[in-house]
Amino acid sequence: MSESPRTLPPEALDEWALALRERFGLVAEDVPISLILDLARDVANGVARPAAPFSAFVAGLVAGRAGGTPEQVREAVAAIAELALGWPEREA
C-alpha cells in the first residue's frame, strides 16, 4: 500500500487541475473547481456520498452532449444539484 496521503490540500488540487488543463488543452473556465466541489457536497449530503463522483461525471456528460460550453456545464450542475437537494430520504 502507498504511504502517500490520498487527500489533497487545496493548493495540490489547483496543481492537479492545472495538470488536467494542460493535458487536455483546457482553460481555467473549463474546469470550475468550486462548482464541481459544491455539486459533490450537495449530492453527498442530499443523496449519498458514493453518488457524488458519479453525479459529477453525469454533469460532464450532459454538458458535453449539449455542446460543452461553461454555461452548459453550469446548467447541468444546477439541474443535478436541484435534484439532489430535493431528494427524499430513503427509509432503511
Side-chain angles (χ1 to χ4, degrees), residues 35-88:
L35 182 70
I36 299 304
L37 292 178
D38 288 348
L39 173 64
R41 179 203 58 223
D42 292 344
V43 171
N45 291 329
V47 181
R49 287 185 71 169
F54 176 71
S55 298
F57 172 83
V58 170
L61 182 63
V62 168
R65 287 184 174 175
T69 68
E71 180 59 30
Q72 289 160 327
V73 170
R74 287 189 294 276
E75 289 172 1
V77 167
I80 292 171
E82 180 181 350
L83 183 63
L85 292 173
W87 192 251

Side-chain angles (χ1 to χ4, degrees), residues 21-39:
R21 290 194 311 264
E22 289 176 349
R23 171 65 172 87
F24 296 106
L26 303 170
V27 296
E29 188 177 39
D30 293 331
V31 186
I33 295 171
S34 63
L35 182 70
I36 299 304
L37 292 178
D38 288 348
L39 173 64

Side-chain angles (χ1 to χ4, degrees), residues 4-10 12-13:
S4 65
R6 299 294 294 180
T7 303
L8 295 174
L13 184 56

